[in-house]
Amino acid sequence: MTTKKNIGIKGLLLSLLFPLAINAQQKATVSVLPSADSPVINKNIYGHFSEHLGRCIYGGFYVGEKSTIPNTNGVRNDIIAALKELGIPNLRWPGGCFADTYHWKDGIGPKQDRPTMVNQWWGGVTEDNSFGTHDFLDLCETLGTEPYLAANVGSGTVKEFTDWVAYVNHQGKSPMSELRKKNNRDTPWGVKIWGVGNEMWGCGGNMTPEYYANLFKQYSTFMTDWNNSDKLFRIASGANVADYHWTEVLMRDIPRNLIEGVALHSYSFVEWEKKGSSTQFDEAQYFKTMETALKMEELVTKHSEIMDKYDPAKKTALVVDEWGGWYEVEPGTNPGFLYQQNTMRDAMIAGTTLNIFNNHADRVRMANLAQTVNVLQAVILTENDKMLLTPTYHVMHMYKVHQDAKLIPVKFTSPEYKLADKSLPALSVSASEKDGKKHFSIVNIHPSQTMTVELDVKALNLKNASGRIVASGKLQDFNSFADPNKITEKEFKDFKLKNGTLTVTLPAFSVVVIEAK
């Protein structure tokens, strides 16, 4: 029989043991398997997204040429400098849902003569078209990044679409090239990456995949490469999360010579209808968010398997051109502007998602974080003349070493992060090599336990190493305008390289990148 005294002793023992359990370390062994057949991690996996949504463009990127905030042709100089340092390989514009209501000719010519429109998708605000094709493509030139134009299929025409292609790409004499020259741009920009509509299963027109596949073939047929050099990279509007039938139809019905990429959209959240606060969340909400984030592994695997059936040579890329965390907007802000803060939870989403993309580099060859400035999982936030870099920015900055590097496959069994009756892999790893350097990006998503990771790197013959880390005291920590550097990259030294084993000790909820040679 259990006495009250025994219950008291048991409770005391549990209270003493629980902190030890929280601080206990878990261990994992990672086999590093270099292979001559490994794919290159396409730099375009590290792409970004800029939609006419909330304060992404206006009040974010673009403040206007007359602004007192230092700018180049109306675009903030501090944002230009930050994105140059980040090394963004491509930038998607103008949407998103906005793309299928956007008529590009409204955004060219003298700004005072441009017509206005109502942004029906995002807040019902009036769009004055002061940031248009020239502004965006000139910005991409300044950044040294590849433009990705998402064009209007939902409410546009084939002629409108192909006129845009000619306007930005045609070198010779034609109505569209003459119009471009009239607008003070003699040489074409040579835009290669084109989205043929966006979310055609939803805001792009609520279409069936069979109907859209036929539309795509029509638009793709009339897209001419006016550069007469490299082919255009035509991306079909792809599946919403686990809609595998959508991918099946596109791959089955669209000939390989008409398509270069199939898109996929998937966001991370607590619950779709009740997304929760971006900063005030408990462990259960964190667990649910990471559960949807790590679902990306399954999505990429299953969509790739369908693509492999029709395209075993992997000529068509899987393009995850919208991904990231999605929560309720910050209190007091316009619900249609999707402005949210960015915590260590978002650093976990970024680190694990990019590791998944790296490890699937044979098929995933482009992706776009949603979005760049002031919207969803942004890398930059602004407030009047102030600007800050989010934890997601710092993770992507550490990870830029993987761009165009050769994948080094890894194999391991992850320790578990358990909560109630569910569990998630606590560890995420990817590795690559470039210019004689090897990089290992490692994420520990566990909110309370340290992770010791032993990487067997004997085959790489490494001699020395250094490290960087993104970490903080609480999962809910974020950079504010009052404290913009609360979370930054820091030097990381809690590792050792000895006898062909790289032993790394990761704090709870941290992202580490080790460089070795």
Side-chain angles (χ1 to χ4, degrees):
M1 185 175 76
T2 303
T3 64
K4 289 184 179 180
K5 183 177 180 180
N6 287 337
I7 291 173
I9 294 172
K10 183 178 179 181
L12 177 62
L13 288 172
L14 285 173
S15 69
L16 291 171
L17 289 171
F18 186 63
L20 294 175
I22 288 177
N23 295 316
Q25 290 192 15
Q26 294 197 58
K27 293 185 178 181
T29 300
V30 178
S31 299
V32 178
L33 309 167
S35 169
D37 297 327
S38 294
V40 168
I41 299 170
N42 195 308
K43 66 179 181 180
N44 283 317
I45 284 173
Y46 291 83
H48 292 260
F49 178 27
S50 54
E51 184 168 6
H52 284 241
L53 195 174
R55 294 191 301 113
C56 184
I57 300 298
Y58 303 111
F61 276 100
Y62 187 74
V63 292
E65 294 86 342
K66 296 180 181 179
S67 174
T68 58
I69 299 172
N71 66 85
T72 299
N73 297 323
V75 177
R76 294 177 63 132
N77 288 342
D78 50 4
I79 288 181
I80 289 172
L83 294 181
K84 278 187 173 181
E85 174 60 28
L86 193 55
I88 68 170
N90 70 78
L91 186 60
R92 183 177 181 233
W93 177 85
C97 292
F98 182 81
D100 282 294
T101 54
Y102 182 66
H103 300 283
W104 68 270
K105 287 185 180 178
D106 292 346
I108 62 172
K111 298 199 177 191
Q112 67 274 14
D113 296 337
R114 297 179 187 179
T116 61
M117 63 176 287
V118 174
N119 191 334
Q120 68 187 69
W121 297 112
W122 307 117
V125 296
T126 298
E127 161 73 54
D128 68 2
N129 284 303
S130 57
F131 189 89
T133 295
H134 288 250
D135 306 275
F136 174 69
L137 295 181
D138 289 348
L139 167 61
C140 289
E141 284 190 333
T142 300
L143 294 174
T145 192
E146 193 88 7
Y148 169 10
L149 292 180
N152 185 343
V153 171
S155 67
T157 64
V158 173
K159 182 179 183 337
E160 180 183 18
F161 193 131
T162 56
D163 277 352
W164 201 11
V165 177
Y167 185 86
V168 301
N169 284 359
H170 191 210
Q171 178 68 56
K173 186 176 177 61
S174 71
M176 290 301 103
S177 64
E178 292 303 306
L179 180 59
R180 182 188 68 239
K181 291 173 184 177
K182 180 182 176 182
N183 290 324
N184 302 313
R185 174 75 186 201
D186 288 338
T187 58
W189 290 276
V191 178
K192 295 178 182 177
I193 307 172
W194 292 85
V196 184
N198 169 78
E199 294 190 355
M200 308 311 290
W201 39 262
C203 61
N206 284 297
M207 300 175 186
T208 64
E210 290 82 3
Y211 180 81
Y212 172 64
N214 281 329
L215 264 187
F216 179 89
K217 287 185 286 185
Q218 179 186 14
Y219 276 77
S220 183
T221 297
F222 287 95
M223 292 173 70
T224 303
D225 179 13
W226 294 104
N227 271 329
N228 294 318
S229 55
D230 293 339
K231 286 182 62 178
L232 300 182
F233 193 90
R234 298 158 294 186
I235 300 172
S237 172
N240 180 27
V241 195
D243 187 351
Y244 300 115
H245 175 66
W246 190 279
T247 300
E248 182 91 32
V249 171
L250 297 192
M251 293 302 295
R252 182 194 69 203
D253 291 359
I254 300 172
R256 298 286 78 78
N257 66 327
L258 291 178
I259 187 171
E260 283 71 46
V262 172
L264 169 65
H265 290 180
S266 182
Y267 288 93
S268 307
F269 45 81
V270 178
E271 296 177 27
W272 183 246
E273 298 299 329
K274 296 180 180 180
K275 298 182 180 67
S277 167
S278 64
T279 58
Q280 304 299 314
F281 55 89
D282 58 23
E283 185 177 355
Q285 291 172 311
Y286 169 66
F287 188 95
K288 286 184 178 180
T289 307
M290 292 312 301
E291 189 175 30
T292 59
L294 295 174
K295 186 82 170 178
M296 186 66 78
E297 174 70 35
E298 178 183 315
L299 294 175
V300 167
T301 298
K302 290 188 175 180
H303 283 291
S304 295
E305 287 172 353
I306 294 167
M307 296 177 75
D308 288 347
K309 184 166 63 171
Y310 297 96
D311 175 32
K314 300 183 187 293
K315 292 182 178 180
T316 304
L318 181 58
V319 178
V320 190
D321 56 12
E322 289 189 29
W323 67 272
W326 192 329
Y327 319 113
E328 302 297 339
V329 302
E330 291 302 288
T333 65
N334 188 323
F337 283 9
L338 303 188
Y339 176 77
Q340 62 188 41
Q341 251 298 349
N342 198 289
T343 67
M344 282 301 300
R345 172 172 63 174
D346 298 285
M348 299 299 99
I349 293 171
T352 55
T353 302
L354 291 169
N355 280 345
I356 291 168
F357 293 162
N358 288 348
N359 289 326
H360 288 272
D362 59 337
R363 181 63 80 175
V364 180
R365 298 199 287 276
M366 186 171 167
N368 299 81
L369 174 69
Q371 294 185 14
T372 317
V373 185
N374 291 331
V375 172
L376 298 177
Q377 192 174 336
V379 292
I380 294 170
L381 300 179
T382 66
E383 182 181 88
N384 300 319
D385 62 339
K386 298 177 182 177
M387 186 203 80
L388 63 79
L389 308 177
T390 68
T392 298
Y393 177 98
H394 294 297
V395 171
M396 295 196 80
H397 186 262
M398 290 197 308
Y399 273 50
K400 72 178 185 178
V401 294
H402 292 302
Q403 293 185 23
D404 284 343
K406 189 178 181 65
L407 178 72
I408 301 176
V410 296
K411 184 179 180 181
F412 65 98
T413 299
S414 175
E416 293 183 325
Y417 163 34
K418 296 181 179 179
L419 188 68
D421 59 345
K422 289 189 174 183
S423 65
L424 296 173
L427 181 67
S428 170
V429 183
S430 71
S432 70
E433 56 181 323
K434 183 180 178 182
D435 299 330
K437 298 176 182 177
K438 281 73 174 177
H439 292 99
F440 308 89
S441 51
I442 315 171
V443 186
N444 174 15
I445 73 164
H446 202 292
S448 58
Q449 292 192 1
T450 301
M451 189 79 61
T452 299
V453 183
E454 293 185 347
L455 296 101
D456 181 356
V457 294
K458 295 183 182 68
L460 300 178
N461 193 30
L462 303 178
K463 301 298 182 185
N464 54 67
S466 61
R468 305 287 291 173
I469 187 172
V470 172
S472 195
K474 294 192 305 180
L475 266 168
Q476 295 81 2
D477 285 346
F478 58 89
N479 291 336
S480 66
F481 293 103
D483 189 3
N485 296 310
K486 185 179 183 69
I487 302 169
T488 60
E489 294 171 60
K490 292 182 173 63
E491 185 179 8
F492 177 72
K493 295 183 177 180
D494 204 355
F495 67 89
K496 61 181 179 180
L497 178 60
K498 185 177 181 181
N499 298 328
T501 299
L502 176 63
T503 304
V504 184
T505 303
L506 288 86
F509 59 96
S510 64
V511 183
V512 167
V513 173
I514 302 292
E515 178 176 290
K517 55 185 178 180

